[in-house]
Amino acid sequence: MLKTIDSLFLTLKKINLYLTMETAEKTNRTHLGRKISRIRELRGMKQETLAAELGISQQAISKLEQSEEIEDSTLEKIAKVLGVTAEAIKNYSDEAVINNIQNNYDNSIIHGGPTVNHNCTFNPLDKLMQALEANKELYERLLASEKEKNELLKGINSKL
C-alpha cells in the first residue's frame, strides 16, 4: 500500500513537471502581436493612436496584435512609435516587467537601496524667515531711495 502511494506521488510529480515544462515552452514562444499590445498598453497608448502614427487603420493594428509573427521592417516602425527597440519587443515578457517593478520596490528606502530623497534637507520655516528678511531689507532700501528722491525734488523746487 505504501509503495503504491509513493508510486502515485512520484507519477503526480512527473505529470506536474511535464505540465510546467509544457507551459513554459508555450509561453517562451514569441507572439510578437501580444507583446506589441502589452507594450502599447503599458505606454498608455490606444490602438487608434498607434495606427495614426503608423499611417494605417485601427483594424490593421488589431490584426497585427493578433499576429504571432511580424516582418522586421514593420516591427522596426512599430518599435520607433512605441519608443522602444525591435529587440525590446522581441524580448518583452510580463514576468520581466513585474520583476523590475518588484526590484524597484524592494530597493526602496525601507530596504536601503538606491532612493530619491523626498525629505527636506533644510528647515522650510528657516528658509521662509530668510526670504522675509531679504524682502524687508529690499523694502527698506527702496524706501530710503524714495526718501532720497523726495529730498532732491524738494531741493530743486526750492531753487525754482
Side-chain angles (χ1 to χ4, degrees):
M1 174 82 173
L2 191 57
K3 281 189 171 184
T4 308
I5 292 174
D6 285 343
S7 174
L8 183 61
F9 183 69
L10 186 60
T11 304
L12 286 173
K13 281 179 89 176
K14 287 179 183 177
I15 291 171
N16 187 29
L17 180 62
Y18 172 76
L19 290 174
T20 304
M21 289 172 57
E22 187 177 272
T23 304
E25 184 180 309
K26 283 181 183 175
T27 57
N28 283 340
R29 290 186 201 143
T30 59
H31 192 291
L32 293 176
R34 276 194 223 118
K35 291 179 178 191
I36 290 169
S37 174
R38 286 297 293 140
I39 293 169
R40 177 184 55 75
E41 290 168 356
L42 288 170
R43 308 282 280 160
M45 185 182 286
K46 294 185 179 249
Q47 282 185 342
E48 293 85 4
T49 308
L50 182 57
E53 291 286 328
L54 293 171
I56 58 177
S57 68
Q58 179 270 326
Q59 288 82 4
I61 294 295
S62 180
K63 188 175 178 179
L64 269 171
E65 290 182 353
Q66 293 172 15
S67 302
E68 192 168 330
E69 294 184 19
I70 297 172
E71 290 181 22
D72 286 341
S73 60
T74 306
L75 190 62
E76 287 289 337
K77 291 175 190 173
I78 293 169
K80 186 175 181 182
V81 173
L82 290 175
V84 297
T85 63
E87 263 323 288
I89 294 173
K90 290 176 182 176
N91 296 328
Y92 173 84
S93 77
D94 283 332
E95 185 178 307
V97 172
I98 292 167
N99 285 338
N100 189 16
I101 292 168
Q102 183 64 41
N103 288 341
N104 285 331
Y105 175 77
D106 286 346
N107 289 334
S108 66
I109 198 163
I110 296 168
H111 300 288
T115 61
V116 175
N117 188 0
H118 297 291
N119 300 323
C120 290
T121 56
F122 57 88
N123 185 343
L125 290 176
D126 287 343
K127 292 291 184 184
L128 181 65
M129 293 308 293
Q130 287 173 358
L132 190 62
E133 285 298 318
N135 282 347
K136 184 178 175 183
E137 288 174 19
L138 285 172
Y139 177 75
E140 288 174 356
R141 285 193 304 196
L142 179 64
L143 189 60
S145 173
E146 290 297 318
K147 283 181 182 178
E148 189 178 319
K149 283 183 195 174
N150 282 340
E151 292 297 321
L152 285 173
L153 287 173
K154 282 182 186 177
I156 291 173
N157 280 339
S158 66
K159 290 183 182 177
L160 294 174

